Amino acid sequence: MSYDAAATRKRIFEAASAEFTERGLAGARIERIAVAAQANKQAIYLYFGNKEALFGAVIRGKMDEICHQGPLDPNAVADTVGHLFDWYGEHPEFVRLLMWEALESCTAEATGEDERRGAYRDHAQALVAAGVAADAPDDASRVRAAQDWLFTLLGLVAWNYAVPQLRRMVLDESDDKAALARRRAAVVEAVRILAASR
C-alpha cells in the first residue's frame, strides 16, 4: 500500500479544524491533531509548518468553502445573504474559529492576512463592477463604500452565530431553530431594504 499524501493532508486539516474550533490556537495541541488524523507530527510540520500556520490554513480553507458557494451577487444580494446565513448555520465552526483568532491574535496581522485581504478586495471590486456605490465621486470612494457594505453584510450574518446566548436572551426564544429562522428572515429583509437604497 502506498502513502497517500493528499489523504493525509485532508485528515490533518479536518482534525486541526476540530481541535482549533474546540480549543482555540493556544489550547490546541499538535499531538492531539496527529492522533486524531492518524498521522505523525512530522507530517503536520512538513505539510503545514508550525501550529500558527496550520491555524491560518484552516481558516483560509473555511473561507475557500464560503467562496465556492458562489459570489456575492449584488443584483440578488438578499438571496445571496440568505444562502450565506444557511452556510454559517451548517458550519458553526467558522465563526468560532474567527472568534478564537480575534481573541488570541498576538500580532497586528492574522496568519495569511494578505491572502485573505486579497479575497475580500476581489469581492469589493465585484460589487463595484456590479454598480454598488455608483454615485460615489471616484473609484476609491466606490471601493470603500463596497468594502463597508460587504463588512456590514458579513456582520449581519455572523453575529447570529457568534453570540447564541445573547440571541436567546434578546429574542426570548427557547427554540433555537425558531430563533434562527426569525433571524434569517430579518437579516434577508434588512439586506433587501439596504440593497434597494444603494
Side-chain angles (χ1 to χ4, degrees):
M1 178 188 288
S2 64
Y3 179 74
D4 188 342
T8 301
R9 284 179 63 97
K10 184 174 190 274
R11 287 194 317 271
I12 292 169
F13 180 89
E14 290 171 356
S17 179
E19 177 78 3
F20 289 132
T21 298
E22 185 177 339
R23 295 182 170 92
L25 178 58
R29 295 292 173 262
I30 291 294
E31 294 81 13
R32 280 194 296 259
I33 294 169
V35 169
Q38 299 175 338
N40 60 48
K41 291 193 306 186
Q42 289 74 24
I44 295 173
Y45 294 123
L46 173 68
Y47 294 136
F48 294 98
N50 61 22
K51 186 168 76 166
E52 290 76 15
L54 178 56
F55 184 74
V58 166
I59 289 182
R60 282 193 308 277
K62 294 296 178 184
M63 286 184 62
D64 287 347
E65 284 182 40
I66 294 175
C67 293
H68 291 136
Q69 299 303 303
L72 183 62
D73 181 354
N75 299 311
V77 72
D79 293 333
T80 304
V81 165
H83 294 305
L84 184 62
F85 194 101
D86 296 339
W87 188 91
Y88 272 64
E90 293 163 9
H91 300 88
E93 73 279 3
F94 183 62
V95 170
R96 220 171 141 145
L97 288 165
L98 291 177
M99 299 292 284
W100 278 119
E101 181 182 51
L103 288 168
E104 297 182 324
S105 182
C106 298
T107 62
E109 284 197 12
T111 305
E113 185 165 328
D114 288 341
E115 181 183 346
R116 290 160 62 189
R117 185 188 312 262
Y120 288 121
R121 282 183 179 144
D122 292 345
H123 285 304
Q125 288 293 345
L127 290 171
V128 169
V132 169
D135 58 344
D138 53 45
D139 286 342
S141 299
R142 282 187 282 281
V143 168
R144 290 289 187 216
Q147 289 167 330
D148 286 338
W149 200 49
L150 179 59
F151 192 73
T152 299
L153 296 178
L154 292 174
L156 282 171
V157 172
W159 189 245
N160 294 282
Y161 297 100
V163 287
Q165 77 288 6
L166 187 59
R167 182 185 68 222
R168 188 173 54 250
M169 288 183 277
V170 171
L171 299 184
D172 198 18
E173 182 78 67
S174 59
D175 181 346
D176 206 38
K177 271 182 135 173
L180 284 170
R182 278 177 61 191
R183 288 302 306 143
R184 185 189 192 281
V187 167
V188 168
E189 183 58 22
V191 170
R192 194 180 318 281
I193 292 166
L194 284 172
S197 67
R198 68 172 166 94

